[in-house]
């Protein structure tokens, strides 16, 4: 999450009346950026990561672990140095050298940390990533009390379950109207509460999140959650749970905070120019699902073991603001489109580039887009694929409009464009340069689950960056598959132990002269898409080269210090182990910890005592007090 605007957020009734105005100005702002920046070239391959942390308060005597409201307080303290440095630089022209930057997230208990400046374009610089991640933990730790910890894990197991928040608050807030989450869990910045309220208001109901329960030996069949207050009648939406929103055999959640209160690892990469950014966007999108399966770290929701390992679908449902008409439940009358997906999902259309690999049949989804916006973009010189991409994003309404920021100079502002662009949360995001900025064309890689240790987070970050650089270096590399197959892959990547049990659609022949691909019956089809395991995609097979081999081929073209190559090889070995199953995912480790706990009754319930022991164990692993080679690999303790 970037720096937030201050102002007066409009209610949904007010924002709805201004939605078209924001869309129109957002398009004009995009056109100004395009005209000014489309010919920009030779930008460095800079990049950065974002890690989201949870602040947790521990009651050792009572064996309880609770999310801490002090996360927002710590964030303000962390931002003091940055604010003071910026003010000093504006007065003196001094160059700022910060170790880390800190940003708010949806949860009041959440803190987002990034490196103080982008990593540079040399491969040798990759060895600095893990050290910077460690340093971020140290900086936060200086401000914590002795009974507080920070944890990096996809979902907090007890969020919305019983006594999970410190200090405690009742779940009766007017913004979320949740049966389980008090509004006090939301960051107090006006954007976040307005976002939660406006999603609910626009949808015409509370969000309905249902994750399948993990049926253990003593889990009731059917499972009907006894902790749902079906008879509550505080808000009109309270009846939704008893009228069918809460599904049997599922873990029911009813607020945006259950999704946006999860944590993740995201990587943003700057490309040399817009064409290379388009190539990165398309090619990285195809590997998102398998990378998510390797990084799975979210097997528990609202105090229950789920039969999924990832948070993605929880967030997707948590921000699904589509009306009944847009979901196709009711006939179109007031709304403009039937929209197949939530705002949070896989991409719906490729952008294409000059590499010559894109074919129209890869965009096999019946794309919903605003035809008037498309025509305006096309008339303004935007190519077909980019015009469809932008006009597809702009079928959505802006969710939060600040009264003071409504009037903008479209030639120098991108606020209205970013209002809609930034609330289309897809597995990759194409990011134009901000106006009047040294920042270039970028791509954000978004599907990774955050990891417990800095070593793991560094390994996933470095591997992703190396794969991206290989994609740019090897122009004949072609990872395209049809968009609809990516949707299937993402669904499969959620399932329990997907990295070991699922197959993913992937392109068989990824090089024009790929002699390793099996021809099968007759001549090989160059566009053949087959189902492969994560192990085959990452590590290769007799008929497929594997992504690790591609990364290693790229590394062989670069002059590296021996120490740098050893460190990178350790990261690659870790990725290899995750794919072949010799190293567990965090989701599998957490599930095993719960199921082997002395207090566990094999009924899918993660009790407060189990949650406390789990949180303490994960913190011990993250800080090197507990060895877990089954999770991080041999010799990779923090």
């Amino acid at each position: 999450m970037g720096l937030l605007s201050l102002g007066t957020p409009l209610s949904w009734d007010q924002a709805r009346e201004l939605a078209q105005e924001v869309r129109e100005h957002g398009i004009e702002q995009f056109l100004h950026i395009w005209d000014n920046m489309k010919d920009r070239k030779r930008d460095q391959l800079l990049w950065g990561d974002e890690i989201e942390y949870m602040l947790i308060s521990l009651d050792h005597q009572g064996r309880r672990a609770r999310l801490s409201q002090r996360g927002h307080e710590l964030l303000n303290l962390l931002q003091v140095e940055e604010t003071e440095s910026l003010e000093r630089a504006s007065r003196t022209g001094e160059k700022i050298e910060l170790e880390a930057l800190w940003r708010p997230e949806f949860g009041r208990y959440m803190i987002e940390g990034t490196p103080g400046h982008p990593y540079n374009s040399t491969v040798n610089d990759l060895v600095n990533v893990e050290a910077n991640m460690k340093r971020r933990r140290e900086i936060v730790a200086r401000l914590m009390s002795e009974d507080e910890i920070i944890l990096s894990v996809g979902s907090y197991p007890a969020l919305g379950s019983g006594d999970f928040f410190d200090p405690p608050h009742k779940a009766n807030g007017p913004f979320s109207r949740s049966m389980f989450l008090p509004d006090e869990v939301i960051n107090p910045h006006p954007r976040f509460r307005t976002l939660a309220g406006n999603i609910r208001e626009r949808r015409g109901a509370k969000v309905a999140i249902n994750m399948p329960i993990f049926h253990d030996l003593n889990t009731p069949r059917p499972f009907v959650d006894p902790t749902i207050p079906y008879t509550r009648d505080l808000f009109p939406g309270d009846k939704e749970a008893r009228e069918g929103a809460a599904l049997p055999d599922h873990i029911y959640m009813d607020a945006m905070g259950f999704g946006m209160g999860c944590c993740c690892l995201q990587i943003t990469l700057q490309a040399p120019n817009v064409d290379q950014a388009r190539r990165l966007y398309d090619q990285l999108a195809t590997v998102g699902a398998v990378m998510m399966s390797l990084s799975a770290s979210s097997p528990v929701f609202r105090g229950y073991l789920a039969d999924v390992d990832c948070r993605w679908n929880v967030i997707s449902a948590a921000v699904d603001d589509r009306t009944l008409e847009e979901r196709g439940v009711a006939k179109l009358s007031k709304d403009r489109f039937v929209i197949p997906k939530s705002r949070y999902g896989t991409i719906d259309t490729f952008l294409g580039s000059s590499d010559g690999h894109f074919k129209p049949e890869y965009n096999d989804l019946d794309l919903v887009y605003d035809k008037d916006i498309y025509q305006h973009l096309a008339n303004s010189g935007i190519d077909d694929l980019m015009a469809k991409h932008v006009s597809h994003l702009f079928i959505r309404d802006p969710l939060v409009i600040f009264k003071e920021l409504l009037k903008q100079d479209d030639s120098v502002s991108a606020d209205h464009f970013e209002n809609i662009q930034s609330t289309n949360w897809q597995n990759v995001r194409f990011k134009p340069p901000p106006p009047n900025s040294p920042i270039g064309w970028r791509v954000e890689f978004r599907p990774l689950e955050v990891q417990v240790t800095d070593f793991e987070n560094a390994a996933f970050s470095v591997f992703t960056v190396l794969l991206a650089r290989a994609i740019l270096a090897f122009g004949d590399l072609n990872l395209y598959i049809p968009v609809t197959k990516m949707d299937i892959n993402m669904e499969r990547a959620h399932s329990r132990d997907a990295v070991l049990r699922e197959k993913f659609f992937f392109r068989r022949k990824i090089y024009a002269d790929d002699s390793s691909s099996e021809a099968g019956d007759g001549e090989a089809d160059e566009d053949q898409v087959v189902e492969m395991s994560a192990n085959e995609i990452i590590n290769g097979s007799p008929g497929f080269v594997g992504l690790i081999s591609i990364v290693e081929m790229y590394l062989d073209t670069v002059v590296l210090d021996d120490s740098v190559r050893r460190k990178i090889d350790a990261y690659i070995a870790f990725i290899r182990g995750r794919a072949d199953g010799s190293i567990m995912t965090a989701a599998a480790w957490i599930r095993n910890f719960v199921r082997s706990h002395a207090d566990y009754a094999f009924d899918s319930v993660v009790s407060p005592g189990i949650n406390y022991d789990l949180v303490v164990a994960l913190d011990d692993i993250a800080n090197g007090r507990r060895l877990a080679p089954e999770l991080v690999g041999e010799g990779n303790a923090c």
Side-chain angles (χ1 to χ4, degrees), residues 163-229:
D163 179 21
F164 75 94
F165 198 53
D166 181 22
H169 296 275
K170 291 183 179 180
N172 58 8
F175 292 95
S176 292
R177 300 187 181 181
S178 173
M179 293 178 168
F180 315 104
L181 296 183
D183 279 350
E184 285 79 8
V185 305
I186 305 173
N187 187 301
H189 189 284
R191 166 182 163 82
F192 294 107
R193 292 187 178 191
T194 304
L195 191 59
N198 284 1
I199 283 176
R200 177 180 47 75
E201 290 287 342
R202 189 188 186 285
R203 179 182 171 90
K206 291 195 293 184
V207 296
I209 310 163
N210 286 278
M211 289 296 106
I213 193 77
F214 172 71
H215 277 286
D216 217 328
L217 299 174
N218 299 324
T219 307
R221 289 180 182 268
F223 169 78
V224 179
D225 187 355
T227 68
I228 298 174

Side-chain angles (χ1 to χ4, degrees), residues 462-622:
V462 169
F463 184 79
T464 301
V465 170
L466 289 173
L467 180 60
R469 291 184 178 180
I471 288 169
L472 295 181
F474 303 145
D476 57 343
L477 182 64
N478 179 3
L479 303 179
Y480 277 117
I481 62 173
V483 165
T484 55
K485 294 293 192 289
M486 281 198 298
D487 286 342
I488 296 170
N489 284 350
M490 209 64 170
E491 285 301 313
R492 292 180 178 181
H494 282 85
S495 64
R496 176 166 46 91
D497 294 328
V499 68
L500 303 179
R501 297 166 32 164
E502 291 289 348
K503 297 277 190 177
F504 301 95
F505 288 102
F506 215 76
R507 188 181 188 89
R508 167 78 76 185
K509 191 173 183 180
I510 60 177
Y511 285 111
D513 58 349
D514 188 357
S515 59
S516 68
S517 296
E518 295 173 346
D521 296 331
E523 186 177 350
D525 178 3
E526 68 172 17
D527 282 334
Q528 185 182 18
V529 173
V530 298
E531 293 178 273
M532 302 186 198
S533 67
N535 186 34
E536 291 171 318
I537 293 170
I538 298 296
N539 292 323
S541 68
F544 183 73
V545 63
L547 298 184
I548 282 181
S549 291
I550 292 169
V551 167
E552 290 178 329
M553 283 188 282
Y554 169 73
L555 288 171
D556 289 341
T557 69
V558 181
V559 178
L560 295 175
D561 296 338
D562 289 343
S563 60
V564 173
R565 184 61 191 254
R566 285 195 298 272
K567 188 67 172 177
I568 291 175
D569 285 345
Y571 293 147
I572 291 175
F574 166 77
I575 298 295
R576 180 180 288 112
R578 276 285 172 90
D580 68 22
S582 61
I583 299 175
M584 302 170 72
T585 64
W589 194 96
I590 290 169
R591 192 184 304 278
N592 286 357
F593 182 94
V594 171
R595 297 191 74 238
S596 61
H597 196 282
D599 294 348
Y600 182 61
F602 293 91
D603 56 358
S604 308
V605 176
V606 181
S607 69
I610 296 174
N611 180 67
Y612 167 83
D613 289 339
L614 172 62
V615 165
V616 170
L618 293 174
D619 181 58
D620 285 343
I621 292 171

Side-chain angles (χ1 to χ4, degrees), residues 76-109:
N76 289 336
L77 295 173
L78 290 164
Q79 290 182 319
V80 167
E81 181 184 3
E82 179 183 353
T83 302
E84 291 177 347
S85 297
L86 287 171
E87 290 175 350
R88 188 171 62 251
S90 66
R91 292 193 313 268
T92 66
E94 176 185 346
K95 185 178 179 181
I96 301 174
E97 290 289 348
L98 295 171
E99 292 181 286
L101 301 178
W102 307 97
R103 296 293 179 261
E105 272 299 335
F106 183 88
R108 191 170 190 147
Y109 53 87

